[in-house]
Amino acid sequence: MFKLFVNAAITIAIGSLFVFSAWKKMSPIDLFQFRLAEDGLCSWECSAVVMRLLIIWELFLGLLLISHTALLRFTYWAVLFTCIAFLAYLIYLYARVGPNADCGCFGEHFNMNPLTAGIKNLLIIGLIGYLKKLRHNMFHVYPKVLVALALLGSTGFVFGLRPITLASTYDLDPFPKTLKWDTLWTSKNAYPKPDTSIKQGKTIIAFFSLTCHHCLEAAYKLQVLKKQIPKYPIFMVLGGRKHRLSGFLSRTKSSHVPYTLFEDDYFFTLCNGSVPKILLCKNLKVVSMLRKYELDREHVQTFFNP
């Protein structure tokens, strides 16, 4: 009886870990959803879909483990193959980024390097192997119905709570061809001062508020592009208070992108009252603008190499 209790506790603990992991990936999902795109495995849109499917799968397996549903026939095997797939991804991440990479196992809340995450997955594999060997199981009258309900419930929960935002078809706000850019160099509330090199040639200049949800997503995409094509000049004009700066740069991983922080209400005058604004400039004259959904290599390379 005691062994049965222990085995049940182990199964529920692993299931709870899967549910916890799924929840943390969703809270928030705005930047986590683009992890696969950042790792160079697929496009922005594909990454947003695949990461939600991953969360659904984790939540689904967690519910099956907690409820002890179809353990021997399906759940144990599914958990084993999932952990093996995660291990393959961790090996790829280690080879591509290095030992200090954040695997994203718990979303943005807890940083976990590939080694620690690998040990976690190996431990789960060992425990599942132990439970399989002992044939720990629980019989339900309608296991297929419970599996279907768990899958449908997980899918509805994830897509209901975190639906995919489709690319907007809204028209961009009109923007003056010539702006009072000198303010970035003359205002005492703008620092550090931009490099004067952005005055010549083609540059992408993005206006982001430190408290804007859409700006977080756009800045995250922008820093990925900066890593992928570092030869193209990209500059951020950030609006907000200094105490929010480190949090913004940390969440968006954009500290390597040159920026100026504008602690002045004139920031919103300069960006025409709305953010995010991504401007394609030539000699500080606005040539065109991009929506955040258009921040990809194709649009950027077309601008610099028409």
Side-chain angles (χ1 to χ4, degrees):
M1 188 66 179
F2 176 75
K3 183 178 289 188
L4 178 64
F5 174 80
V6 171
N7 293 342
I10 293 173
T11 305
I12 293 172
I14 297 174
S16 299
L17 182 64
F18 270 68
V19 172
F20 178 76
S21 174
W23 173 249
K24 286 303 179 183
K25 286 182 176 70
M26 291 176 61
S27 308
I29 200 175
D30 50 355
L31 303 185
F32 176 79
Q33 64 182 334
F34 299 123
R35 284 299 301 267
L36 293 181
E38 182 183 11
D39 294 336
L41 295 175
C42 62
S43 67
W44 300 114
E45 294 80 6
C46 173
S47 182
V49 174
V50 171
M51 295 313 289
R52 282 170 172 79
L53 294 178
L54 170 63
I55 294 171
I56 290 170
W57 182 249
E58 271 196 302
L59 181 58
F60 170 58
L61 292 182
L63 293 176
L64 293 185
L65 286 167
I66 292 172
S67 61
H68 282 64
T69 302
L71 291 180
L72 293 175
R73 298 182 61 182
F74 171 76
T75 307
Y76 285 155
W77 287 109
V79 172
L80 286 174
F81 285 123
T82 299
C83 289
I84 292 171
F86 283 164
L87 285 173
Y89 169 73
L90 292 171
I91 293 171
Y92 167 82
L93 188 65
Y94 183 92
R96 185 177 185 273
V97 182
N100 296 321
D102 176 20
C103 69
C105 291
F106 296 104
E108 295 185 48
H109 293 271
F110 306 105
N111 290 334
M112 184 175 289
N113 60 47
L115 179 59
T116 305
I119 293 173
K120 172 180 69 73
N121 281 278
L122 288 174
L123 180 60
I124 293 174
I125 289 173
L127 290 173
I128 292 296
Y130 163 78
L131 293 170
K132 271 181 59 63
K133 184 177 180 180
L134 294 180
R135 300 189 63 81
H136 176 68
N137 196 19
M138 184 178 292
F139 295 98
H140 294 283
V141 179
Y142 301 109
K144 292 182 179 179
V145 174
L146 292 176
V147 170
L149 288 175
L151 182 58
L152 290 173
S154 300
T155 303
F157 181 77
V158 172
F159 280 109
L161 201 61
R162 297 291 186 268
I164 295 177
T165 304
L166 300 176
S168 175
T169 57
Y170 66 86
D171 293 328
L172 291 167
D173 296 333
F175 214 88
K177 294 294 182 181
T178 304
L179 302 174
K180 295 181 180 179
W181 294 108
D182 287 345
T183 308
L184 298 177
W185 285 273
T186 59
S187 174
K188 65 179 181 179
N189 293 319
Y191 50 86
K193 301 301 181 186
D195 193 295
T196 55
S197 62
I198 69 170
K199 293 183 177 181
Q200 302 297 324
K202 293 182 177 180
T203 309
I204 295 178
I205 302 179
F207 288 82
F208 299 136
S209 167
L210 300 182
T211 58
C212 165
H213 169 80
H214 296 289
C215 294
L216 285 170
E217 183 179 322
Y220 182 86
K221 287 185 173 183
L222 201 64
Q223 64 86 17
V224 172
L225 289 173
K226 183 63 176 176
K227 288 180 179 178
Q228 294 175 344
I229 41 179
K231 64 179 179 179
Y232 297 141
I234 297 175
F235 186 77
M236 298 188 300
V237 181
L238 306 177
R241 300 308 175 195
K242 189 175 182 179
H243 70 275
R244 298 183 182 274
L245 177 62
S246 60
F248 181 90
L249 296 177
S250 175
R251 283 200 64 194
T252 59
K253 303 180 182 179
S254 59
S255 58
H256 63 285
V257 181
Y259 68 88
T260 285
L261 175 65
F262 215 101
E263 285 194 301
D264 194 310
D265 291 339
Y266 187 70
F267 166 82
F268 290 100
T269 301
L270 195 60
C271 65
N272 208 32
S274 64
V275 287
K277 275 277 197 315
I278 301 105
L279 311 180
L280 307 181
C281 301
K282 183 175 182 180
N283 300 328
L284 286 189
K285 291 186 178 179
V286 180
V287 176
S288 184
M289 296 172 59
L290 292 178
R291 301 174 178 88
K292 69 173 182 177
Y293 306 103
E294 298 171 325
L295 278 172
D296 54 40
R297 292 184 66 135
E298 180 181 356
H299 282 91
V300 170
Q301 290 176 329
T302 298
F303 168 63
F304 284 101
N305 301 298

